[in-house]
Amino acid sequence: MALPDLQLRSLVETDLLAYKALRDRMLADFPASFTSDAETERSRDLASYRSRLSGGAAGGTLFTVVALDRRAGGRLVGALTAEREARQKVQHTAHLVGMMVAPDCQGRGIGRALLSETVARLRTEPGISLVTLSVTADNLPAVRVYERCGFERYGCLRGAIRLPDGRELDKALMSLRLT
């Protein structure tokens, strides 16, 4: 999926400040959409995000795809990370984590472009045949993006997220077979 005003590429070291800023904003503005909490993550130092680079987290991170808005001088407006299971019996499985698109850029197809690019890259990764993710079950726009890209629900984790106000939210568990 090509969007002319968008550049998709791998996260690099010089992106980390913009990545952290976007992530901190998303966690603060959309607490129901993420498992991580804004307060804890805001205090993380920039260096800790190096684990999102290709080969980060002791090789568990395969890559992070970022979306740069050419209309805004190449501003980082979205990201999606693919991680690989380390244990031998499940090394054929990749997990998608941290999907985010800046609020002022939502509705332009950026999430779908990130997801399509990530799945295309995973198809070229040796040994990867299964991709999984979890998404807040009542986040219907996000669920629809995943479904349009071929992901299917295989379960629901009830009460997976407990917000500070006491509300509990379910996570839809989704997967995509690559082979």
Side-chain angles (χ1 to χ4, degrees), residues 17-110:
L17 186 61
Y19 177 86
K20 179 176 176 17
L22 176 61
R23 190 165 190 273
D24 286 348
R25 179 177 179 200
M26 297 298 292
L27 293 173
D29 292 354
F30 304 97
S33 296
F34 297 94
T35 305
S36 297
D37 69 281
E39 184 177 336
T40 301
E41 297 299 302
R42 192 177 311 113
S43 67
R44 279 179 66 176
D45 75 347
L46 191 60
S48 71
Y49 288 99
R50 286 189 181 115
S51 67
R52 297 287 188 181
L53 299 170
S54 295
T61 297
L62 292 167
F63 54 83
T64 297
V65 176
V66 294
L68 305 169
D69 189 347
R70 290 184 175 122
R71 299 183 319 182
R75 178 174 67 108
L76 194 148
V77 297
L80 177 58
T81 298
E83 298 176 341
R84 182 180 208 142
E85 276 285 347
R87 296 168 293 172
Q88 186 173 353
K89 291 181 183 180
V90 288
Q91 282 184 345
H92 65 287
T93 306
H95 303 290
L96 302 186
V97 298
M99 165 71 99
M100 55 187 169
V101 175
D104 60 316
C105 294
Q106 293 176 4
R108 291 177 38 198
I110 295 171

Side-chain angles (χ1 to χ4, degrees), residues 129-177:
S129 60
L130 178 64
V131 184
T132 69
L133 61 88
S134 67
V135 58
T136 305
D138 63 359
N139 185 348
L140 298 182
V143 170
R144 282 193 288 273
V145 167
Y146 295 127
E147 288 174 340
R148 276 187 240 127
C149 287
F151 283 82
E152 298 177 339
R153 290 184 198 215
Y154 67 87
C156 181
L157 186 56
R158 305 262 179 235
I161 297 174
R162 183 174 296 148
L163 297 175
D165 64 7
R167 287 183 296 147
E168 290 190 350
L169 305 173
D170 300 340
K171 285 277 201 168
L173 308 175
M174 304 183 82
S175 67
L176 172 69
R177 296 282 311 173

